[in-house]
């Protein structure tokens, strides 16, 4: 089995990608420092796959452990998820974000180069587009000035990959620009584990649904959108995981140096009210929410043009918003049951 290193593999998207890789016949190897995840994710992985996925506990800024992993495993590729991702916190603690998100990529690239590992899939984000002038947004759409240090780390990391590839180093890289991942594995054994108050809409909705949060605030309902609330492209995390498998196999057919970018979304925009109504439908609960003022810095509407990934990676989202909300809700119920 070809081995693929997943940095941040105990996290939300990484853990689902580990399942998808195993199902596709790859052997995932995880490194995670558990700075934003829990070891229970590994137990969940074992329940789903029946296997102990090898996991190194460590920081991928640590060149020594990275070197050890590459020495102990003949890797055919890497998927680099490890990063901090809280947009709000990144404005308060920019150096924490610049240090972790950028230096981990630098250490990884140096280690890959040293061990002649060429294939890399990098977690980027639709935040690099800011508020696009035209929708849906294509990969060729110019990136905008980042709204946050977090968003800037994604732009800088993409630029580092381009520079590295242009230097003719043996690197084949794909940056996947994720839209808004939601949902959980249908088994409810793994899912998103937000530490503290969730900054993303869906975990806030499901936590409000079970009573952990009293009330959801909708930030503005007077935007130029169908119902006045912000529009996003919500992608099921299992579909997103699958896109990584497609990206890895695409890279295998490419000769280094190579770099490409793909949007990963459904191609549909949904409003905050669509999410609330969808949640109420799948949960049978009425959600306690109020409308508050607009939140500074919020992008009003963004959704993906997915033509490129549909055609070139032969990937398409399979789950719709309701199915994703159903899986988020079942995951929340499973979490609450385990914690009670
Ligand atoms: N979830 C989203 O909404 C979203 C959207 C766009 C892009 N992304 C990007 O996707 C990637 C994965 O996101 P996620 O939602 O799974 O986040 P997550 O926080 O659930 O997972 C990241 C994992 O990386 C680990 N980690 C962080 N720094 C590390 C380090 N230096 N060494 C080892 N492990 C480290 C954390 O413990 C965590 O398990 C991130 O790069 C994120 O920026 C996420």
């Amino acid at each position: 089995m070809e081995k693929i290193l997943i940095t941040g593999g105990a996290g939300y998207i990484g853990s689902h990608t580990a399942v998808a890789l195993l199902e596709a016949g790859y052997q995932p190897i995880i490194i995670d420092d558990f700075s934003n995840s829990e070891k229970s994710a590994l137990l969940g992985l074992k329940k789903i796959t029946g296997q102990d996925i090898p996991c190194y506990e460590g920081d991928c800024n640590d060149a020594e452990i990275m070197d050890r992993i590459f020495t102990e495993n003949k890797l055919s590729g890497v998927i680099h998820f490890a990063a901090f991702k809280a947009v709000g916190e990144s404005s308060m603690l920019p150096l924490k974000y610049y240090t972790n998100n950028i230096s981990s990529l630098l250490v990884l690239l140096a280690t890959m180069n040293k061990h002649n590992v060429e294939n890399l899939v990098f977690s980027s984000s639709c935040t690099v587009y800011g508020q696009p002038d035209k929708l849906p947004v294509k990969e060729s759409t110019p990136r905008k000035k980042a709204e946050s240090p977090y968003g800037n780390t994604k732009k800088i990391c993409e630029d580092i990959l381009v520079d590295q590839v242009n230097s003719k180093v043996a690197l084949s890289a794909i940056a996947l620009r994720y839209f808004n991942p939601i949902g959980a594995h249908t088994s409810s054994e793994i899912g998103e584990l937000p530490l503290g108050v969730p900054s993303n809409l869906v975990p806030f909705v499901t936590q409000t649904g079970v009573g952990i949060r009293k009330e959801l605030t909708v930030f503005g309902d007077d935007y130029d959108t169908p119902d006045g609330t912000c529009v996003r492209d919500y992608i099921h995390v299992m579909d997103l995981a699958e896109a990584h498998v497609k990206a890895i196999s695409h890279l295998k057919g490419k000769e280094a140096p190579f770099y490409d970018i793909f949007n990963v979304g459904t191609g549909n925009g949904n409003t905050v009210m669509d999410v609330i109504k969808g949640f109420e439908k799948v949960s049978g609960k009425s959600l306690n929410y109020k409308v508050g003022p607009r939140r500074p810095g919020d992008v009003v509407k963004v959704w993906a043009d997915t033509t490129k990934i549909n055609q070139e990676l032969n990937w398409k989202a399979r789950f719709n918003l309701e199915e994703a909300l159903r899986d988020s809700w079942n995951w929340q119920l499973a979490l609450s049951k385990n914690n009670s």
Side-chain angles (χ1 to χ4, degrees):
M1 274 171 118
E2 286 183 49
K3 292 182 177 178
I4 306 290
L5 179 65
I6 319 184
T7 74
Y12 176 40
I13 307 168
S15 57
H16 291 80
T17 302
V19 175
L21 282 171
L22 259 176
E23 281 171 358
Y26 293 97
Q27 173 60 62
I29 312 274
I30 292 173
I31 172 167
D32 206 299
D33 64 0
F34 300 97
S35 54
N36 197 39
S37 52
E38 287 177 15
K39 297 204 172 133
S40 58
L42 302 177
L43 290 176
L45 283 176
K46 180 155 190 187
K47 282 194 186 149
I48 295 168
T49 66
Q51 298 190 30
D52 280 311
I53 297 178
C55 177
Y56 291 80
E57 181 168 355
D59 180 346
C60 36
N61 292 289
D62 175 352
E64 249 174 61
I65 189 167
M66 293 301 280
D67 192 59
R68 183 154 68 83
I69 296 171
F70 279 70
T71 305
E72 289 176 1
N73 300 280
K74 188 176 163 352
L75 297 170
S76 58
V78 181
I79 307 180
H80 186 46
F81 292 106
F84 295 142
K85 64 167 183 179
V87 174
E89 188 191 56
S90 78
S91 296
M92 260 114 67
L93 300 170
L95 295 189
K96 175 176 169 184
Y97 281 71
Y98 284 114
T99 307
N100 194 34
N101 296 9
I102 295 171
S103 113
S104 62
L105 178 66
L106 297 177
V107 170
L108 174 64
L109 289 173
T111 316
M112 288 176 69
N113 195 18
K114 179 176 169 197
H115 291 268
N116 300 314
V117 176
E118 291 184 358
N119 298 331
L120 172 65
V121 179
F122 173 71
S123 298
S124 191
S125 165
C126 68
T127 54
V128 299
Y129 296 120
Q131 177 59 70
D133 300 326
K134 251 178 92 182
L135 287 163
V137 68
K138 288 182 193 293
E139 290 82 352
S140 54
T141 300
R143 299 176 311 172
K144 291 227 166 135
K145 186 180 177 305
E147 297 278 351
S148 68
Y150 165 73
N152 208 23
T153 67
K154 293 296 173 192
K155 276 180 81 179
I156 293 169
C157 286
E158 285 190 357
D159 291 344
I160 290 170
L161 293 176
V162 172
D163 287 344
Q164 185 73 341
V165 164
N166 286 344
S167 78
K168 304 277 184 286
V169 155
L171 173 70
S172 291
I174 286 178
L176 294 180
R177 289 180 178 159
Y178 314 155
F179 280 67
N180 287 69
I182 62 168
H185 193 268
T186 40
S187 65
S188 301
E189 296 293 351
I190 53 172
E192 189 170 7
L193 264 183
L195 300 180
V197 181
S199 46
N200 289 341
L201 175 64
V202 171
F204 207 107
V205 165
T206 58
Q207 288 195 3
T208 308
V210 286
I212 298 172
R213 311 275 153 216
K214 239 178 81 198
E215 184 179 59
L216 170 82
T217 302
V218 176
F219 297 111
D221 68 349
D222 54 356
Y223 288 110
D224 176 22
T225 63
D227 59 26
T229 62
C230 289
V231 175
R232 295 288 180 273
D233 185 338
Y234 294 98
I235 166 91
H236 196 299
V237 66
M238 284 170 62
D239 279 333
L240 180 54
E242 207 52 54
H244 291 81
V245 177
K246 296 278 188 179
I248 280 286
S249 65
H250 189 69
L251 283 173
K252 288 201 299 181
K254 297 287 167 196
E255 208 171 299
F258 170 84
Y259 178 67
D260 211 347
I261 300 164
F262 293 94
N263 285 341
V264 199
T266 61
N268 301 314
N270 284 106
T271 64
V272 175
M273 286 313 297
D274 289 336
V275 171
I276 292 175
K277 286 190 199 127
F279 168 78
E280 289 184 332
K281 188 167 167 202
V282 299
S283 67
K285 285 189 163 249
S286 151
L287 191 76
N288 193 21
Y289 72 91
K290 66 165 189 217
V291 175
R294 293 179 177 194
R295 191 170 54 174
D298 266 348
V299 166
V300 179
K301 42 189 168 184
V302 65
W303 65 94
D305 183 322
T306 57
T307 312
K308 188 176 172 196
I309 191 164
N310 295 161
Q311 291 179 349
E312 294 183 28
L313 297 195
N314 189 25
W315 174 93
K316 209 173 177 339
R318 290 172 303 148
F319 294 98
N320 63 27
L321 179 67
E322 264 183 30
E323 290 164 328
L325 289 169
R326 172 203 65 200
D327 292 339
S328 289
W329 176 235
N330 286 339
W331 164 244
Q332 181 68 63
L333 292 175
L335 266 183
S336 302
K337 196 169 147 210
N338 289 343
N339 292 339
S340 65

